[in-house]
Each structure stands twice: as C-alpha cells, then as structure tokens.
Amino acid sequence: MTATADRSDVSTILNPATGAVAGQVRWTNPADVPQIAAGLREAQQGWEARGAKGRAKVLARYAVWLDEHRDEIERLLIAETGKSTTDAVQEVLLISIILSYYIKTVEKAMAPDPRPAPLPFLSVKKIAVHYRPRAVVGIIAPWNYPVANALMDAVGALAAGCAVLLKPSERTPLTAEVLLRGWIDCGAPEVLALAQGAREVAEAVIDSSDYIQFTGSSATGVKVMERAARRLTPVSLELGGKDPMIVLDDADIPLAANAAVWGAMFNAGQTCVSVERVYVMDTVYDQFVAAVVKAVENLKMGAGAGFDFGALIDESQVAVTARHVDDALAKGAKALTGGKRPEGKGSFYPPTVLVDVDHSMLCMSEETFGPTLPIMKVSSVGEAVRLANDSPYGLSASVFSKDVERAKDVAVQLECGAVNVNDVISNLMLPTAPMGGWKTSGIGARFGGLDGVRKFCRQETVVVPRTAAGAGSNYYNHTVKALARGNKLMTKFAQIRPRREAK
C-alpha cells in the first residue's frame, strides 16, 4: 500500500500489487478524537440499556448485511491489499462464525454469575458477579486482515454493550469505512466510530478509551501498554509470532507438507499465526522437503482471482522478507524455491523454501511476515521441542503425528498460547477457546467463550443477605465470650484442625 497526500487531510490509497488507485481516505485530526469518544460514551448508555437480547438482534442484522455485501467487501480488500481472491474470501467468513457464536451466547455471558459461599456459616449471604460493560473500547487494528482484525474483537465488545472506537491501520483504511457504513445501514445505533490515521491518532484513541485491544508487532505493543498505563487503562495485546511446526517421524507426510505450505504462504505469510519455521525428524526429512517443494512449485502468485496468494502490503515488508532470506543464504542456507524478488510491478516476493537453516539466521529468530518456509532437520523429539521453545515469541504452534496422544504430549511442552495437532491456524476459527500469546507474543486473549464478551466488562460483586436474622450481631462485639464463640465457630465450619506432630 502507498498513501500519497492530495491535501493535508486526504490521501490516495494505492493497490500494492498493481499501483492502481484503490480509493481515498480522509484522516482524522487527533484533536477531534476526544470529541468522537465523548459521542460514543453518550450513545453507549442506550446501547447497554437494550440488554443482551436487544443487542443480539442488532448484531444479527449486521451479520446479514455483511453476507449480502460480501462481494463488495472482498473486491475492496483485494484493491486495498493486493490479496488473492483465495485469501480475501476468508475474512467475512471468519467474522460470520464469530458473530453467530456471540449472538447465541451473549445473554449467558452477561447474566449475573452466582458464586457459592466459601464456608457453611457464610451461606447466609447470596453472592453474584455482575458484568458491566466499559463505555468505550478502543481497537487498534493491523493491516494484514482489514475486516477480520477490525471486527473479531469489536463483535465481543459490542455484544457486551460497549461502544467501539476503531482505528484501522493507515495502510488499509478503506475497508473499515465500508464496515461502518454497514453498521449504520442495518439500523444500529451510533456506537461504532472510526479514527483514521497513524501514531498520533492511535495515541489519542488510547487516551480517550476505557479499554484497548491492540493487534500488531511486539515493539508497538510495548508502546501501547506504556501509553495506556498513564491512565491505568487495561489492555489486551495480540502481538508478533514466530510459530513453529514439529513433524514427528510417524507423521502423515503429504498432510504435514501441504499444511506447512498453506500455513506459511496463506496471505503471503502475513498472518500472526503463520508457520514460520519447521522442525522435522531426520528419518522423514527428505520425504517432507520433497513434498513441500512440489506443493510450492504449484502455487500461483498474483492479486485477485486465479491466484493462491497475493502481494505483500508494501515495499518495506518486501525488504524485511528479502533481508531474512539474504541473511540465511549468506550463512549457508539453500533456497529450494524462490529466494529472489521477481522483476516487474508490485510488492511481490516468491514463495521461498529454505533448508540447511539454524538459529543463527534471522529467518529462524525474527518474525518475517512474508512467504518463506525455513525447514530444519532434528534428531529427536526433545531437540525439536527445545528449538521450538528457543524464541522470544509464543503465539501458537503445530505438531504432526499419526499418534494423536503422542502429538498432544509434545503440544503441552511447547511455550505458546495454542497448539494445533495435525493442522495449522485452525484455532483462529474457534471462538470458544482463548487465543493469546506467551512471552513477547502478547498479554490477555481474544475469544475464550463467554470470556470473549466479559473481557470488555468490569466485574461487580453484589452480596445480599438471605435472611435478616442475626444481622449486625458481630459489629464491635469484642467480649472474651464473643471471641471464644467466634473462634469455635470458625474452627468447626472451616474444618481447621491443629497440626499433629509426626510420630
């Protein structure tokens, strides 16, 4: 994507694959963001008052609108990002899955959660945890999935009764305008608004929101958290990854090879949970590499219909990918496919399979976010696990074995938020389970069943008496007799026993 300024507040967005004009965007003045947030805060009160059932009806209408306008959205996605049609069609589908789930579960998520008394003598109290939506949730979304990353968190926040202030990436601002138009067209209240711009606008969103959901690089996530800490604003951060795949000696090699290729090349490798490095047992290494190369050689690179994956988002991302590949080749790796940028227009980089790699190379240690697939031979499961965990990142991983129990044993040794057995990326389509990162891959989680709604809420515990009998009997009652009686009750009901000396 390239943005060229026509006036101080308007830019033209170009397709990174062709250089054609995708559209224009009017940037938000950072000074206007607090006013936008104030309007959202006012509208949120009525949105919360609709109740979970009322909000679910609005979200259902929005789901219908998205489905009816899917072709328009996908065309704009391709124009704005240079994606292939194969990649573009996944985004609205994912949001439909998420909407369907939260429409059905939001009432349960927002219902008061009764809690038991910790001890029998405290059962005179009735305890419930209530979930109160935060007024304004700020969502700072990345450019790699302009629909999915904009809405996958917004859906949960809106279901909870929050208003949402969305800042799309300045690289892909156009699709968000259509998503907002759809929200308005389906008769929804004005509890979704956009703030278009770069760093200064993002800072204003952080300063004006009650909760921040950020998806992006680990380095930027640190800056977001630092800014939010000034007002003690809670954050959820889904950050970078260097996701490993482990292929055991009893794996279904054709399945594993095709999964590795799809997981690495989908969306030109610009996915937070891309397969970025593969560790293969030595006994099946040659067979696996041969299958991977054959699959990659069948891929077609280009934007729009008829292609498997499209352009990278801009020249800076091409430069990162090229730097990682060049570094590997200089240190002794071999490129079995690709390895050099093709001549011609567009921010393309060919699908590149690298072998003879090790952890001294950038392609094995830094997030590439490009269509590369480094493969490393290992001699044992222990070595594979050690190398997979040898990373500052911990977003997700995958393990391939015909013995599912064996794969699960390996999975729980990996230091990451999610592991797919005999598949890749599939956890992204499961809103019932949390998606979160370990180490520098993030804080908090998106989705997680009912927690995908409740994360955007404050918790309020309400304790009410079951009976008026004995009310206030313990206030300032410090007589020797009263204390002895209290100690006796505590010992009895808490089942406290004096420690006996071992014989």
Side-chain angles (χ1 to χ4, degrees):
M1 190 285 299
T2 303
T4 58
D6 298 325
R7 298 203 308 271
S8 60
D9 61 342
V10 176
S11 287
T12 299
I13 307 301
L14 305 181
N15 185 324
T18 65
V21 173
Q24 289 190 320
V25 61
R26 182 175 297 277
W27 303 120
T28 304
N29 187 329
D32 293 337
V33 173
Q35 184 178 352
I36 297 171
L40 288 171
R41 204 174 300 278
E42 183 176 350
Q44 183 272 334
Q45 298 176 33
W47 180 236
E48 180 182 0
R50 288 181 182 231
K53 185 178 291 186
R55 296 192 296 273
K57 290 180 179 178
V58 177
L59 290 170
R61 293 202 301 270
Y62 191 44
V64 171
W65 188 95
L66 289 172
D67 183 63
E68 291 175 345
H69 292 78
R70 184 170 175 176
D71 289 345
E72 176 190 357
I73 295 169
E74 289 168 0
R75 283 196 300 270
L76 184 54
L77 270 175
I78 293 167
E80 185 171 40
T81 65
K83 289 177 184 277
S84 68
T85 301
T86 302
D87 291 338
V89 298
Q90 307 292 327
E91 296 206 39
V92 175
L93 172 62
L94 176 59
I95 296 305
S96 297
I97 292 171
I98 297 167
L99 273 164
S100 176
Y101 175 72
Y102 284 128
I103 288 166
K104 296 173 184 176
T105 58
V106 61
E107 285 188 78
K108 184 176 181 180
M110 295 302 293
D113 186 9
R115 302 293 174 89
L119 296 170
F121 81 95
L122 291 173
S123 61
V124 294
K125 299 295 185 183
K126 189 176 182 179
I127 311 161
V129 177
H130 293 248
Y131 298 93
R132 305 281 300 279
R134 299 178 189 274
V136 177
V137 170
I139 295 177
I140 302 174
W143 46 262
N144 56 334
Y145 292 99
V147 173
N149 274 316
L151 291 183
M152 63 170 58
D153 299 303
V155 167
L158 290 167
C162 311
V164 170
L165 179 53
L166 170 63
K167 194 209 85 67
S169 170
E170 64 276 17
R171 290 168 160 175
T172 54
L174 301 178
T175 311
E177 302 278 355
V178 176
L179 300 179
L180 177 60
R181 190 190 84 209
W183 181 256
I184 296 169
D185 285 354
C186 73
E190 295 182 2
V191 290
L192 175 64
L194 300 183
Q196 296 278 25
R199 179 180 59 82
E200 291 182 352
V201 174
E203 291 174 347
V205 169
I206 295 169
D207 294 343
S208 303
S209 301
D210 305 302
Y211 187 99
I212 295 296
Q213 173 69 53
F214 171 77
T215 304
S217 72
S218 300
T220 305
V222 170
K223 296 176 182 177
V224 169
M225 192 169 185
E226 288 175 345
R227 184 89 185 190
R230 299 180 185 182
R231 297 174 55 245
L232 295 181
T233 302
V235 298
S236 180
L237 308 175
E238 199 264 274
L239 306 178
K242 192 69 182 174
D243 291 5
M245 172 192 280
I246 294 176
V247 181
L248 300 182
D249 50 7
D250 63 345
D252 180 331
I253 297 303
L255 172 65
N258 282 297
V261 172
W262 186 78
M265 307 305 170
F266 178 74
N267 203 43
Q270 299 171 121
T271 304
C272 57
V273 290
S274 289
V275 175
E276 290 231 358
R277 50 199 171 108
V278 185
Y279 304 97
V280 186
M281 297 286 286
D282 50 10
T283 55
V284 294
Y285 176 83
D286 291 340
Q287 182 186 355
F288 176 82
V289 169
V292 163
V293 169
K294 182 178 180 180
V296 168
E297 289 176 341
N298 289 327
L299 295 179
K300 295 180 180 179
M301 180 175 65
F307 298 100
D308 296 298
F309 72 91
L312 279 76
I313 193 63
D314 58 20
E315 289 300 307
S316 67
Q317 201 57 46
V318 173
V320 171
T321 304
R323 179 167 59 87
H324 285 193
V325 172
D326 292 346
D327 171 79
L329 297 178
K331 292 175 179 175
K334 295 183 181 68
L336 301 184
T337 67
K340 185 179 180 181
R341 183 179 183 178
E343 295 181 0
K345 280 187 175 182
S347 298
F348 290 99
Y349 198 91
T352 300
V353 177
L354 296 167
V355 295
D356 297 339
V357 295
D358 59 49
H359 279 214
S360 71
M361 301 174 184
L362 299 178
C363 69
M364 296 295 283
S365 59
E366 294 184 3
E367 185 175 36
T368 305
F369 232 57
T372 63
L373 185 56
I375 307 171
M376 186 172 179
K377 184 189 298 184
V378 295
S379 60
S380 68
V381 175
E383 182 185 11
V385 170
R386 178 180 61 79
L387 291 169
N389 289 336
D390 180 25
S391 173
Y393 298 106
L395 193 55
S396 69
S398 54
V399 181
F400 281 75
S401 170
K402 291 179 182 177
D403 185 339
V404 172
E405 291 304 315
R406 184 187 183 202
K408 285 167 61 178
D409 288 342
V410 173
V412 296
Q413 298 178 58
L414 299 178
E415 298 170 353
C416 60
V419 181
N420 295 290
V421 171
N422 293 336
D423 202 355
V424 294
I425 306 181
S426 59
N427 62 293
L428 265 180
M429 302 185 74
L430 303 173
T432 54
M435 177 194 172
W438 292 18
K439 298 186 275 191
T440 61
S441 286
I443 291 176
R446 60 165 46 105
F447 305 148
L450 304 184
D451 288 340
V453 173
R454 291 173 174 175
K455 66 177 279 186
F456 298 109
C457 299
R458 293 183 173 92
Q459 296 183 27
E460 182 179 16
T461 299
V462 178
V463 182
V464 299
R466 295 182 183 275
T467 175
S473 61
N474 64 324
Y475 297 167
Y476 294 113
N477 193 349
H478 301 314
T479 65
V480 173
K481 186 175 181 180
L483 289 173
R485 183 172 62 249
N487 286 336
K488 184 176 181 180
L489 284 171
M490 287 291 290
T491 301
K492 178 180 179 181
F493 289 118
Q495 297 182 340
I496 297 172
R497 296 288 185 269
R499 180 177 296 178
R500 295 180 180 177
E501 297 294 331
K503 294 182 179 181

